[in-house]
Amino acid sequence: MKIIMLGAPGAGKGTQALMIAKKYNIPHISTGDIFRANIKEGTELGKKAKSYMDKGELVPDELVVDLVVDRLGMDDAKAGYVLDGFPRTIPQAEALDKALESVGDKVDYAIDIAVPDENIISRMSGRRACVSCGGTYHIVNIPPKKEGICDVCGGKLILRDDDKEETVKNRLSVYHKQTQPLIDYYSRKGILKSVDGTCEMEQVFKSITDILG
Ligand code: AMP
């Protein structure tokens, strides 16, 4: 099963993608996580990506596409995957389709998690991320067992630069301009499924599994 997650930043894509990956036993491939890992390791790619990410802008397509295509070619992705944060532009979606078509493959579902902008801003200011493993929490909705500490690895939890309010506003406008057109793109292909992302996390997951089976 090959799944793409769509939705504004903060709509809950990452959380739902992780739950899908676990239930269907497929890898969770997050371009944001890949960039953050590169930033942490101080790679050239990380340095380039950081300058865009800190401003809430998208990393240029040419830095993203090959990275994802290579990752999808790995053995663990043969039976399926859930892509979180990619594609984010029409050229990325077209490049993905082309790469998949060349091996006789295609995306099965594009799942859009719909959440209005006003909910997004308040959600993201409460978001906390682990500096060590990248795990995400929310001070109200998904609090860690111990304040400021990651449940999984004991790392410190911080407000990511790209979750700060000004950056979130910019990310939302970038989303509407560059990523929202993908909803039409996948709708035209007949694989778009939309779920109400304002419900409780478990309810959103149920709507998704009702679709995926
Ligand atoms: P995320 O964790 O998916 O919200 O991604 C965090 C940031 O990484 C985004 O705001 C972008 O700057 C960058 N990023 C992640 N995925 C992509 C992508 N597919 N295309 C361009 N930039 C991306």
Side-chain angles (χ1 to χ4, degrees), residues 12-212:
K13 289 191 301 291
T15 307
Q16 296 296 331
L18 277 169
M19 292 162 85
I20 294 170
K22 196 166 166 210
K23 180 173 166 76
Y24 296 95
N25 200 20
I26 49 178
H28 165 228
I29 301 176
S30 153
T31 41
D33 284 355
I34 296 174
F35 288 136
R36 281 184 289 277
N38 274 274
I39 291 172
K40 213 174 145 198
E41 287 159 22
T43 67
E44 266 320 297
L45 175 66
K47 282 182 199 142
K48 283 187 195 153
K50 188 173 187 327
S51 62
Y52 297 95
M53 290 167 78
D54 284 351
K55 285 183 279 187
E57 285 165 16
L58 294 186
V59 175
D61 291 339
E62 58 272 23
L63 292 182
V64 191
V65 171
D66 291 349
L67 185 95
V68 174
V69 171
D70 283 353
R71 177 65 188 87
L72 299 186
M74 291 183 185
D75 276 352
D76 68 334
K78 292 266 183 304
Y81 40 77
V82 51
L83 269 176
D84 165 15
F86 182 94
R88 256 183 161 100
T89 64
I90 295 280
Q92 288 181 17
E94 289 171 345
L96 175 65
D97 280 346
K98 212 169 131 202
L100 291 177
E101 270 163 35
S102 72
V103 290
D105 214 343
K106 61 174 181 43
V107 175
D108 299 306
Y109 297 99
I111 298 177
D112 176 44
I113 306 187
V115 177
D117 282 10
E118 48 276 24
N119 299 28
I120 298 279
I121 296 181
S122 64
R123 272 190 192 193
M124 287 184 71
S125 59
R127 204 146 96 149
R128 295 294 179 272
C130 174
V131 287
S132 302
C133 73
T136 50
Y137 297 84
H138 189 280
I139 50 177
V140 181
N141 305 335
I142 324 167
K145 293 198 184 84
K146 200 166 160 218
E147 200 187 315
I149 305 288
C150 177
D151 292 351
V152 179
C153 74
K156 190 171 159 231
L157 300 182
I158 55 150
L159 179 67
R160 275 177 7 200
D161 282 341
D162 60 346
D163 285 341
K164 292 186 175 147
E165 187 169 331
E166 272 320 295
T167 316
V168 169
K169 287 190 178 149
N170 193 31
R171 289 174 75 190
L172 272 175
S173 88
V174 167
Y175 166 76
H176 288 300
K177 229 186 297 166
Q178 294 183 265
T179 308
Q180 211 171 14
L182 292 177
I183 294 183
D184 270 352
Y185 180 91
Y186 288 112
S187 169
R188 279 197 302 273
K189 289 188 177 285
I191 58 166
L192 180 79
K193 306 282 173 190
S194 203
V195 298
D196 177 0
T198 62
C199 313
E200 291 285 314
M201 186 174 78
E202 288 298 338
Q203 181 55 47
V204 178
F205 188 54
K206 182 172 181 310
S207 312
I208 295 175
T209 53
D210 284 349
I211 293 164
L212 301 179

